[in-house]
Amino acid sequence: MKLNLSPAPHVHTNQSTRTLMRNVLIALLPCAVAGVGFFGFNALMVLVVSTFSAVAAEYLWQAATRQKVRVGDLSAAVTGLILGLNLPATAPLWMVAIGSAFAVVIVKGLFGGLGDNFVNPALAARAMLLASWPQYMTRWYAPAGLAAVDAVTTATPLSNPGGFTTLQLILGSIPGSVGEVCKIAILLGFAWMLYTKTVTWRIPVVMVASTAVFSLAFGNNPLTAVLSGGLLFGAVFMATDYATCPMTAVGQIVYAALAGLLVAVIRKFSDYPEGVTYAILLMNVASPVIDHFITRRVYGHGKEAKNG
Amino acid sequence: MAKWNDSPLFRLALAACAALVAATNAVNGLTLGLATGCVLVLSGAVAALLDNFIADEKGRVVLFMVISAVFAGIAQMIVKAVCGGTAAALGIYLPMIAVNCLLLARPADENGVGPAVSDGVKQALGFICLVTLLGALRELMDVGTVFGAQVLPKGLQLTAMAALPAGGLLLLGLLAGLANLIKPKRSGKEDEAA
């Protein structure tokens, strides 16, 4: 009989990066389907290009720097798909590809790869694209189904509050980024991630609630604030990035509440109509500080540390 | 002595704030570099001259800042007189050369005027080259020109972000990373000096 000696933990889970990322991809599917349904072939091309260029960039980067090629863990595919879902369907495809490469190589690869990025790669890429080519990042058209090719440019609910009914905001028949419009699809994805324990409820629920509360405090309709723009999508799929959110439950609640406050503040007081991107990026950067002040009590060490 | 590892912008990341905000095109970068470089060399030389009269370490820093402020004031007036538009574009970063950390980072314990000047000149030349390169690249990417001369097809804007501080920081980081790849091999002599 062979005796295996190994350090704890002895109980293994069959969860790997690949299964986690596969669950996120499955959770993103409803949003992708809804986005393509609303915005047509353009949206499909944006999603395909963003996903494939992210995977290609990851492969090329890891091969060029002589690392083990890990595109099989699907993390680059998730980053690319999330970026695509964050873009308007009118986005030129070369810009989509640059965004994906930027996310994977500069935001993730240069900082050490998966888990070492200090901000969410897809969001940082979105911010970069918005700063670089604002003219292509703010062309929205009203959903017109698969037939839409030359649709009319129009304002999103954030620039035109009151122009859309609550039912429209929930179903997603509004102008906006490919993945953010259909709230039902986002909630379906959230339910799948909760069911598979990919994420916990804390960050999305607290962030959305915080935005609602502070929007109300600033005199805006909280329901419209929650259903407009990329808040739900960002709270469910991007604020929850493992590498860039605090580790403890209390820390995550603080992080999400502050992110919600920032969303409301940026939307109300800045020149930008939407604040979800910058709110989450800022809280990503603040996460190490939160982790510094709110630490997990190490089993068997807590009281000693307090007395000492 | 000035070594590769003392390269202000790329290795020490000194004077980065001025370079990122103000050096948005080649002319601004060159002006900022020249003004900073002159102040650097001259204040270093004068500080070395006065070095024998002041022994106290804290007093030395104060003295050095006063000297830098004098030369920075002169530099500001000259830039304003020669090219007022560039002075306006550089804004607060022109008078702020006086408190530029690049100047404060100069060792006050150089022995004599000669070494102080040669060290200052090397530092200044390095800074002028890098900040001009950064400005030129940002100008090229933002409006397609270098020193105002059309390089890319007219009307082609590669990226508007290059002119923003965020774009400048990204570009500086990438350039510094590339520069690390071509870092010269250390010779034994340099190690001794370090």
Side-chain angles (χ1 to χ4, degrees):
Chain A
M1 194 183 91
K2 189 169 173 262
L3 184 63
N4 276 322
L5 288 176
S6 72
H10 301 290
V11 181
H12 289 279
T13 162
N14 57 3
Q15 270 208 332
S16 64
T17 307
R18 189 184 164 87
T19 56
L20 282 174
M21 293 296 165
R22 197 182 58 209
N23 282 333
V24 178
L25 281 180
I26 293 172
L28 287 167
L29 264 184
C31 294
V33 171
V36 173
F38 281 127
F39 298 112
F41 184 69
N42 289 348
L44 182 66
M45 285 313 292
V46 166
L47 297 184
V48 168
V49 170
S50 69
T51 309
F52 277 93
S53 36
V55 173
E58 173 113 318
Y59 180 87
L60 291 175
W61 169 254
Q62 290 179 336
T65 53
R66 299 196 184 89
Q67 301 174 46
K68 194 175 169 201
V69 172
R70 295 179 194 274
V71 287
D73 70 10
L74 297 179
S75 68
V78 167
T79 298
L81 185 56
I82 289 184
L83 175 65
L85 291 168
N86 262 296
L87 300 175
T90 55
L93 297 178
W94 57 263
M95 188 184 85
V96 177
I98 290 179
S100 285
F102 179 87
V104 167
V105 174
I106 293 190
V107 186
K108 199 172 79 171
L110 284 180
F111 286 90
L114 182 65
D116 287 326
N117 47 303
F118 72 105
V119 291
N120 183 299
L123 264 183
R126 189 192 135 80
M128 184 279 281
L129 295 178
L130 191 60
S132 290
W133 300 286
Q135 69 274 32
Y136 297 134
M137 287 295 286
T138 47
R139 289 189 311 186
W140 316 101
Y141 62 81
L146 290 160
V149 179
D150 296 315
V152 185
T153 312
T154 176
T156 71
L158 282 169
S159 315
N160 180 20
F164 302 91
T165 64
T166 306
L167 187 65
Q168 276 182 309
L169 292 177
I170 292 175
L171 288 179
S173 54
I174 48 171
S177 298
V178 175
E180 72 181 21
V181 288
C182 181
K183 310 307 176 304
I184 294 173
I186 296 169
L187 291 180
L188 273 177
F190 186 38
W192 172 255
M193 292 206 294
L194 285 179
Y195 173 70
T196 56
K197 297 199 170 95
T198 309
V199 299
T200 65
W201 59 272
R202 277 183 222 107
I203 291 177
V205 170
V206 173
M207 182 173 167
V208 170
S210 164
T211 307
V213 168
F214 286 110
S215 296
L216 184 64
F218 296 149
N220 291 342
N221 181 349
L223 187 65
T224 317
V226 167
L227 294 177
S228 300
L231 176 63
L232 273 182
F233 188 81
V236 169
F237 292 109
M238 291 185 292
T240 49
D241 181 355
Y242 298 128
T244 53
C245 71
M247 287 184 279
T248 59
V250 180
Q252 288 178 354
I253 288 171
V254 171
Y255 160 94
L258 289 175
L261 168 65
L262 282 173
V263 171
V265 167
I266 295 173
R267 280 183 180 176
K268 176 78 181 176
F269 299 107
S270 84
D271 292 339
Y272 293 101
E274 177 59 303
V276 173
T277 305
Y278 300 115
I280 297 177
L281 284 176
L282 281 170
M283 291 316 296
N284 283 168
V285 180
S287 287
V289 183
I290 297 175
D291 271 337
H292 178 80
F293 286 108
I294 303 170
T295 44
R296 191 189 301 266
R297 191 173 75 88
V298 179
Y299 183 70
H301 283 275
K303 278 179 184 162
E304 236 174 273
K306 258 182 200 164
N307 292 338
Chain B
M1 283 290 110
K3 296 190 299 289
W4 172 247
N5 276 339
D6 292 331
S7 164
L9 258 182
F10 279 10
R11 297 290 296 180
L12 304 176
L14 292 178
C17 17
L20 296 183
V21 180
T24 49
N25 62 39
V27 173
N28 287 0
L30 183 61
T31 314
L32 181 73
L34 280 176
T36 311
C38 292
V39 176
L40 180 81
V41 173
L42 290 174
S43 53
V46 174
L49 271 177
L50 297 176
D51 200 38
N52 293 333
F53 299 99
I54 186 156
D56 182 40
E57 190 63 37
K58 287 175 197 159
R60 201 195 302 244
V61 174
V62 173
L63 175 76
F64 196 64
M65 286 189 69
V66 173
I67 298 169
S68 318
V70 170
F71 284 112
I74 298 172
Q76 188 189 353
M77 290 178 216
I78 295 176
V79 174
K80 268 187 182 165
V82 177
C83 41
T86 311
L90 293 180
I92 187 68
Y93 288 94
L94 192 52
M96 269 176 59
I97 289 174
V99 288
N100 198 318
C101 36
L102 177 57
L103 268 71
L104 290 180
R106 298 307 324 124
D109 54 7
E110 286 292 347
N111 301 317
V113 182
V117 169
S118 92
D119 186 67
V121 167
K122 285 180 196 164
Q123 281 274 313
L125 282 179
F127 181 69
I128 293 169
C129 291
L130 295 185
V131 81
T132 310
L133 173 71
L134 188 66
L137 282 175
R138 291 172 74 181
E139 184 184 344
L140 180 71
M141 290 164 84
D142 183 34
V143 290
T145 61
V146 172
F147 284 107
Q150 201 74 38
V151 175
L152 298 176
K154 211 170 173 68
L156 176 69
Q157 183 183 42
L158 287 183
T159 155
M161 192 173 68
L164 303 175
L169 180 63
L170 267 171
L171 196 61
L172 177 62
L174 291 176
L175 287 177
L178 283 178
N180 268 352
L181 292 179
I182 54 163
K183 180 175 152 186
K185 276 181 189 159
R186 279 167 158 263
S187 70
K189 202 178 169 188
E190 265 186 326
D191 276 338
E192 263 171 47

